[in-house]
Amino acid sequence: AYTRFLTNWTAGMKGWSRLNDLGMQAYAHIQNHDTAQELMRLMHAANHLVYMGFGGQDNMELLKDRNLLSGAEVRYLMTRAASPYYQVCCWALQLIAKEVQQNRLKGAIASRMEGSIIEWRENTTLLPLLEQSPVPFQYYHLMVVELMLFHIATGVRCGLWVANQSNDAYVDM
């Protein structure tokens, strides 16, 4: 159980860390700060889409209200079969590729930025996979046995407390 929790927690923290890394890389190396903002806008939209998906929500209007996606982008995502967060990540990668093609970003730096996006995707998509995998039977069996022992111990303790109370002088039987 602890390994499962730790894996889940680590994946969540790596996902957030990669977004922060990407933000630092974008603003440090992309000359046009509007492009850097666009890149981060798309990645934050992708992050919202992933976490909203965990909760079973499909609220594209929220992303529009938060200025993370435009109306045209929302309409495009609603008409496509591809995963919305995946499509938005691809748009972010296209922005990086465009900067390289126009010689405004070095290939090695672009590769690191793409690596941040890919690692973010790997870690955030791991979370629902862990959630969907069942708890191992041995762990479940151990929890049931511990619960039975707890109930037995609680019953014995309550019985001893009642027996002790009946021997007191102020209890008349």
Side-chain angles (χ1 to χ4, degrees):
Y2 178 74
T3 304
R4 192 177 163 103
F5 162 78
L6 183 62
T7 303
N8 202 353
W9 181 83
T10 303
M13 292 300 103
K14 281 185 180 178
W16 283 106
S17 296
R18 291 309 76 87
L19 276 183
N20 290 330
D21 294 348
L22 181 63
M24 290 187 295
Q25 293 164 338
Y27 285 103
H29 299 292
I30 295 178
Q31 296 168 359
N32 183 349
H33 281 270
D34 290 338
T35 303
Q37 281 181 330
E38 192 70 8
L39 175 65
M40 293 312 299
R41 176 185 71 84
L42 290 171
M43 287 307 301
H44 283 293
N47 201 54
H48 272 67
L49 287 166
V50 167
Y51 282 97
M52 285 190 326
F54 291 165
Q57 297 178 11
D58 185 19
N59 191 354
M60 294 284 192
E61 289 300 315
L62 176 67
L63 298 176
K64 241 173 60 176
D65 292 344
R66 292 184 177 179
N67 296 317
L68 293 173
L69 291 176
S70 69
E73 290 167 335
V74 167
R75 283 189 298 280
Y76 180 86
L77 292 172
M78 298 293 272
T79 60
R80 299 296 187 262
S83 168
Y85 88 87
Y86 185 82
Q87 181 62 55
V88 174
C89 282
C90 290
W91 291 341
L93 290 168
Q94 286 173 342
L95 281 176
I96 294 171
K98 185 178 174 184
E99 290 295 303
V100 172
Q101 291 167 353
Q102 295 176 352
N103 292 323
R104 294 191 301 226
L105 185 63
K106 293 179 182 176
I109 294 170
S111 178
R112 298 283 304 250
M113 293 172 79
E114 289 172 352
S116 290
I117 292 174
I118 290 167
E119 193 172 349
W120 168 83
R121 186 208 45 84
E122 288 171 349
N123 284 292
T124 53
T125 55
L126 176 65
L127 298 172
L129 294 176
L130 285 170
E131 186 180 274
Q132 291 173 358
S133 60
V135 175
F137 179 71
Q138 296 86 351
Y139 178 71
Y140 174 77
H141 185 68
L142 175 66
M143 292 303 292
V144 169
V145 169
E146 287 177 345
L147 185 62
M148 286 177 17
L149 291 174
F150 172 77
H151 285 298
I152 291 169
T154 302
V156 168
R157 184 170 181 217
C158 287
L160 291 173
W161 181 79
V162 168
N164 188 33
Q165 295 297 319
S166 65
N167 292 332
D168 287 344
Y170 61 86
V171 175
D172 189 21
M173 293 196 129

